[in-house]
């Protein structure tokens, strides 16, 4: 398969660059039948996934694969928002409808709130967003300020990054940093040094979208290092296994960052299966696919593991503001293997 | 804040721990943005308990609104309403913008607090569109916050909106006797709608909640008379009692005479043993 061609024809998400150097071919697809037995009885926590862009099919497969809880960071919806009202509605959906939809599949939904770096460059709008952000940051189930950081590394991005670090301090919430894809190494260093400059405890900061080039410095400085398993770009899961082999499980976590791009909401279970295959100890797998994310974000005081560790049965009759996800007569669980759609 | 009832604060602080009281008092000394943020952040700093209600405060928390009751509220809801009452009401434009922002960014529990506070907020008529929106809402808790035990609708809703609220309460199977002013705002239009509703239900072989009958008091004598005859011969004790109450309230001699066959019921109404409150279903 020609990786280069894929790069040129896929729309990149999460601010990917067309820079191929860091994106060696790595992602390997595995069929459910091939890895189902490997992850049996494992429990996963995806600390970075954009469910508003995903379908109910995804939720069903995620639940089946053992994903019990997720964090949805506030982010870029693919096109710039033109007014404050769109931000309000988007943020509201993260704590409202999407959380409800998730619960219908037995998956506990948290989110982080923030103004993304790209839209920080629209200063007029950014000012307005900053005014309402505290009203969302304090809402129940908000586990951090995120994802914030740099894209183009402009002065405006820096301004709003700093302001949001202050907000995180004020609200006692962890920070989830989106590191840029262009000039990543420098962007990551800059993000970290600004966070330290603002007096943030690195154990309260999750640096996201790491790669082999950035991981050492992130860990050495005491931050959490998150890795995004995203097909064709970012990390592949085979590379991820090597990172875990080299660095162990301390302060390392894996996420899917699945969104409206070509991404994989099952990235975590698949990577866990691969790690199992490669003989990585179960406890290490558990730390990087579950426990570390909980430890990092539970500092918000908003995560109660009893909500997803005790056997959870979604209530199919529950409604969100009087609306159900189920249209007349639908059942919450559909047999995906059936050819007939009844 | 001038229009903040003393007993309301007193009651709130009786429910608070010392630490909670400090937090609340500090927040209202702060600037508006911090105050609004505190409204959102309240569950992070206050206990999630439901408040225990003391009868000494019953009907007196807000003296000008004796129907304003907080029984069964969460402590956070009570505190949120209290915080809202500290948002400076002037200049008007700024005040309206602040409250609108809270509405626009609110999640469910915040909406409940906002609607609960409407009768106490400055410029009450400005909130009419929000309040009638809440009646249209599918969110059960939001609907309850505006419809039940809230003086706002009786005071400010025009008749059509008022009737919608009452009808929707009936449709939702909620306790209509918790609508403040339900008897004071009886009207002919509402009686017609309720009468139609009852016909529809009886055609489907269903009964209406017994409380709905009290709304028929505003119907024309002729309509009422035709409804009461079968009601008096009902096998249900409650329906008979409702019929007796309606006949007793009527000024029409023909309707009053229906009561002649039920001397026991008439007597217990005269003695004050039977009134509409005796027919109330226990609210959930
Ligand atoms: Zn993201």
């Amino acid at each position: 398969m020609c990786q280069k061609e894929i790069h040129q024809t896929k729309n990149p998400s999460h601010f990917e660059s067309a820079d191929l150097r860091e994106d060696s071919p790595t992602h390997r697809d595995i069929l459910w039948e091939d890895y189902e037995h490997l992850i049996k009885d494992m429990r996963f926590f995806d600390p970075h996934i954009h469910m508003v862009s995903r379908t109910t099919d995804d939720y069903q497969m995620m639940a089946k694969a053992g994903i019990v809880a997720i964090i949805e960071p506030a982010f870029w919806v693919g096109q710039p928002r033109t007014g404050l009202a769109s931000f309000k509605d988007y943020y509201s959906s993260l704590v409202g409808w999407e959380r409800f939809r998730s619960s219908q599949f037995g998956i506990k939904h948290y989110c982080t709130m923030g103004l993304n770096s790209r839209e920080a460059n629209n200063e007029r709008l950014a000012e307005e967003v900053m005014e309402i952000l505290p009203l969302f940051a304090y809402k129940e189930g908000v586990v951090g300020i995120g994802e914030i950081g740099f894209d183009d590394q402009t002065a405006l991005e820096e301004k709003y990054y700093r302001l949001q670090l202050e907000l995180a301090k004020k609200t006692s919430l962890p920070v989830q940093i989106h590191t840029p894809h262009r000039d990543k190494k420098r962007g990551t260093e800059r993000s970290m040094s600004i966070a330290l400059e603002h007096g943030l405890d690195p154990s309260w900061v999750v640096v996201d979208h790491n790669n082999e080039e950035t991981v050492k410095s992130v860990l050495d400085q005491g931050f959490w290092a998150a890795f995004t398993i995203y097909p064709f770009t970012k990390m592949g899961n085979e590379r991820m296994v090597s990172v875990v082999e080299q660095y162990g499980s301390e302060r390392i976590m894996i996420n899917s960052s699945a969104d409206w791009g070509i991404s994989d909401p099952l990235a975590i279970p698949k990577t866990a299966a691969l790690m199992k295959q490669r003989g990585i100890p179960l406890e290490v797998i558990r730390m990087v696919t579950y426990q570390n994310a909980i430890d990092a974000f539970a500092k918000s005081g908003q995560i109660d593991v009893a909500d997803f560790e005790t056997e959870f049965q979604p209530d199919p009759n529950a409604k969100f503001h009087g609306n159900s996800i189920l249209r007349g007569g639908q059942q919450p669980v559909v047999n995906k293997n059936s050819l007939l759609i009844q | 804040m001038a229009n903040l009832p003393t007993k309301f604060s007193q009651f709130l602080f009786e429910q608070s721990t010392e630490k909670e009281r400090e937090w609340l008092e500090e927040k209202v000394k702060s600037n508006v943005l911090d105050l609004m943020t505190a409204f959102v952040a309240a569950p992070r700093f206050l206990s999630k308990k439901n408040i225990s209600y003391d009868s000494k405060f019953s009907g007196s928390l807000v003296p000008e609104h004796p129907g304003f009751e907080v029984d069964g509220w969460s402590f956070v809801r009570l505190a949120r309403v209290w915080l809202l009452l500290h948002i400076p009401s002037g200049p008007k434009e700024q005040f309206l913008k602040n409250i609108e922002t809270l509405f626009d960014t609110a999640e469910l529990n915040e909406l409940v607090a906002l609607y609960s506070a409407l009768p106490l907020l400055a410029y009450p008529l400005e909130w009419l569109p929000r309040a009638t929106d809440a009646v249209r809402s599918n969110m059960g808790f939001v609907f309850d916050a505006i419809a039940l035990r809230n003086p706002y609708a009786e005071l400010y809703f025009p008749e059509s909106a008022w009737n919608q609220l009452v009808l929707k309460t009936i449709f939702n199977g909620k306790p209509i006797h918790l609508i403040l002013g339900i008897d004071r705002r009886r009207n002919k239009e509402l009686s017609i709608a309720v009468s139609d509703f009852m016909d529809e239900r009886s055609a489907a072989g269903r009964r209406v909640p017994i409380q709905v009958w009290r709304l028929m008091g505003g119907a024309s004598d002729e309509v009422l008379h035709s409804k009461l005859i079968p009601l008096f011969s009902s096998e249900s004790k409650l329906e008979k009692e409702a019929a007796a109450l309606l006949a007793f309230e009527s000024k029409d001699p023909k309707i009053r005479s229906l009561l002649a066959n039920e001397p026991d019921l008439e007597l217990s109404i005269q003695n004050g043993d039977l009134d509409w409150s005796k027919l109330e279903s226990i609210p959930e």
Side-chain angles (χ1 to χ4, degrees):
Chain A
M1 189 177 359
C2 172
Q3 287 297 323
K4 194 171 173 92
E5 191 177 317
I6 284 164
H7 272 284
Q8 286 163 347
T9 55
K10 306 296 181 212
N11 286 325
S13 151
H14 269 87
F15 309 174
E16 266 73 84
S17 65
D19 178 0
L20 305 187
R21 271 177 308 129
E22 58 180 288
D23 301 329
S24 50
T26 46
H27 191 83
R28 183 142 72 89
D29 274 333
I30 334 175
L31 292 174
W32 173 243
E33 290 73 27
D34 298 335
Y35 71 97
E36 182 181 7
H37 64 285
L38 291 168
I39 57 162
K40 200 173 165 293
D41 297 329
M42 286 190 193
R43 208 161 26 209
F44 303 112
F45 188 115
D46 190 340
H48 190 147
I49 185 163
H50 299 284
M51 293 311 295
V52 294
S53 315
R54 310 297 312 188
T55 66
T56 50
D57 279 19
D58 295 331
Y59 272 125
Q60 286 185 326
M61 292 189 306
M62 287 158 66
K64 190 168 145 193
I67 296 174
V68 294
I70 54 178
I71 295 172
E72 175 151 11
F75 194 52
W76 165 254
V77 290
Q79 63 183 43
R81 280 163 278 220
T82 55
L84 184 63
S86 339
F87 273 97
K88 284 193 240 175
D89 291 339
Y90 174 68
Y91 293 151
S92 291
S93 74
L94 297 184
V95 289
W97 173 251
E98 202 52 50
R99 181 164 299 163
F100 169 74
R101 194 165 74 111
S102 179
S103 75
Q104 289 298 281
F105 299 92
I107 296 174
K108 181 76 188 171
H109 182 287
Y110 304 96
C111 65
T112 59
M113 286 288 173
L115 168 70
N116 73 79
S117 48
R118 232 184 227 204
E119 285 166 296
N121 291 307
N122 179 344
E123 192 171 14
R124 180 191 59 78
L125 193 50
E127 279 305 314
E128 290 176 14
V129 172
M130 287 308 296
E131 244 179 70
I132 59 157
L133 207 48
L135 300 180
F136 285 101
Y138 276 114
K139 292 210 196 295
E140 291 180 67
V142 176
V143 297
I145 298 297
E147 45 186 310
I148 58 171
F150 288 111
D151 176 37
D152 271 349
Q153 305 191 42
T154 65
L156 279 174
E157 288 172 18
E158 182 172 330
K159 173 183 169 187
Y160 291 103
Y161 174 55
R162 286 178 184 273
L163 284 170
Q164 292 186 90
L165 292 176
E166 286 302 314
L167 179 63
K169 271 165 57 180
K170 197 171 169 201
T171 53
S172 302
L173 286 171
V175 173
Q176 191 173 26
I177 293 178
H178 165 98
T179 53
H181 273 258
R182 297 174 297 279
D183 202 6
K184 188 180 205 67
K185 227 167 136 181
R186 232 159 46 101
T188 304
E189 289 303 328
R190 197 171 155 197
S191 303
M192 289 191 291
S193 66
I194 292 175
L196 294 174
E197 191 191 308
H198 279 258
L200 273 100
D201 177 340
S203 73
W204 281 66
V205 181
V206 178
V207 179
D208 218 329
H209 313 319
N210 278 286
N211 60 22
E212 294 87 344
E213 303 265 281
T214 58
V215 55
K216 189 169 185 306
S217 171
V218 171
L219 291 174
D220 284 351
Q221 295 186 61
F223 292 85
W224 295 90
F227 291 84
T228 297
I229 314 298
Y230 202 102
F232 310 120
T233 59
K234 299 211 175 81
M235 279 305 280
N237 49 8
E238 292 184 301
R239 279 162 58 201
M240 189 65 225
V241 176
S242 310
V243 168
V244 172
E245 280 168 347
Q246 187 180 345
Y247 292 94
S249 64
E250 203 190 329
R251 277 181 291 118
I252 285 181
M253 67 181 83
I254 301 174
N255 63 55
S256 71
S257 294
D259 57 12
W260 38 259
I262 298 171
S263 47
D264 189 346
L266 298 179
I268 293 181
K270 285 178 183 174
T271 307
L274 206 59
M275 288 193 277
K276 182 92 181 290
Q277 250 175 3
R278 298 282 178 83
I280 291 187
L282 270 181
E283 181 55 16
V284 171
I285 301 176
R286 197 182 77 83
M287 294 307 279
V288 300
T289 60
Y290 183 74
Q291 193 61 48
N292 284 345
I294 295 172
D295 291 348
F297 288 99
K299 290 174 189 292
S300 64
Q302 294 293 301
I303 295 180
D304 180 356
V305 291
D307 288 342
F308 48 85
E309 285 199 341
T310 42
E311 208 50 52
F312 177 80
Q313 277 301 319
D315 174 6
N317 299 315
K319 291 196 165 63
F320 176 76
H321 297 192
N323 296 313
S324 164
I325 50 158
L326 305 172
R327 299 297 164 216
Q330 284 183 337
Q331 296 300 308
V333 178
V334 173
N335 179 4
K336 305 297 292 180
N337 297 323
S338 169
L339 178 67
L340 298 176
I341 299 169
Q342 289 171 325
Chain B
M1 174 105 198
N3 65 347
L4 182 72
T6 328
K7 279 213 171 170
F8 194 93
S9 301
Q10 196 190 332
F11 181 66
L12 175 75
F13 291 140
E14 272 187 26
Q15 307 296 318
S16 329
T17 63
E18 210 182 305
K19 216 175 138 198
E20 287 170 335
R21 182 178 178 151
E22 274 168 23
W23 185 81
L24 286 161
E25 288 185 323
E26 184 203 310
K27 290 300 157 185
V28 296
K29 280 186 218 131
S30 202
N31 63 48
V32 182
L33 194 60
D34 279 352
L35 188 52
M36 289 164 67
T37 307
F39 171 84
V40 177
R44 295 202 179 205
F45 299 93
L46 303 176
S47 134
K48 294 218 161 58
K49 66 181 177 185
N50 276 343
I51 50 181
S52 62
Y53 205 62
D54 189 326
S55 57
K56 83 175 167 181
F57 287 105
S58 183
S60 69
L61 276 189
V62 184
E64 63 271 40
H65 298 308
F68 186 90
E69 297 282 353
V70 300
D71 195 14
W73 285 21
S74 70
F75 177 58
V76 168
R77 178 174 170 189
L78 186 77
R80 277 179 164 155
V81 170
W82 185 83
L83 287 166
L84 286 176
L85 298 180
H86 287 83
I87 295 181
S89 56
K92 180 176 176 182
E93 203 174 299
Q94 190 55 48
F95 177 71
L96 297 186
K97 184 176 171 254
N98 288 338
I99 300 291
E100 293 289 351
T101 299
L102 287 177
F103 266 111
D104 283 348
T105 56
E107 50 81 79
L108 185 70
N109 294 317
E110 293 165 30
L111 283 176
V112 167
L114 282 160
Y115 285 114
S116 306
L118 285 193
L120 314 180
L121 289 184
Y123 319 110
L125 271 172
E126 298 286 343
W127 314 118
L128 193 54
R130 289 277 179 191
T132 50
D133 251 5
V135 173
R136 276 188 286 272
S137 160
N138 284 329
M139 308 179 234
F141 294 114
V142 167
F143 178 86
D144 294 358
I146 194 70
L148 309 181
R149 288 199 177 110
N150 188 334
Y152 186 86
E154 183 192 2
L155 290 170
Y156 305 107
F157 272 32
E159 186 172 288
S160 60
W162 171 262
N163 290 353
Q164 273 309 314
L165 180 147
V166 176
L167 286 172
K168 199 149 177 203
T169 307
I170 298 171
F171 265 83
N172 291 347
K174 310 230 172 192
I176 56 170
H177 63 278
L178 296 183
I179 303 174
L180 300 182
I182 185 74
D183 290 325
R184 289 185 293 269
R185 288 204 62 178
R186 284 200 291 209
N187 61 76
K188 200 167 161 204
E189 280 303 313
L190 183 58
S191 298
I192 293 170
V194 169
S195 169
D196 285 350
F197 170 68
M198 292 205 283
D199 290 346
E200 212 175 282
R201 293 292 281 247
S202 95
R206 295 198 193 114
R207 293 214 157 119
V208 292
I210 199 72
Q211 278 288 311
V212 172
W213 281 99
R214 77 195 292 171
L215 302 172
M216 287 303 291
S220 71
D221 293 337
E222 202 180 329
V223 169
L224 190 56
H225 189 260
S226 71
K227 293 264 181 221
L228 286 188
I229 293 175
L231 199 63
F232 266 117
S233 53
S234 164
E235 278 164 26
S236 149
K237 181 172 162 277
L238 286 173
E239 288 190 352
K240 267 192 172 163
E241 289 175 343
L245 282 164
L246 281 166
F248 189 84
E249 285 167 5
S250 175
K251 292 188 177 67
D252 180 62
K254 206 167 119 206
I255 294 176
R256 281 299 290 257
S257 70
L258 292 172
L259 205 50
N261 302 326
E262 304 286 349
D264 292 351
L265 287 176
E266 186 170 18
L267 193 65
S268 52
I269 296 172
Q270 274 163 351
N271 294 344
D273 295 334
L274 175 62
D275 57 38
W276 286 109
S277 72
K278 302 290 184 306
L279 304 187
E280 283 163 9
S281 50
I282 309 298
E284 286 156 50

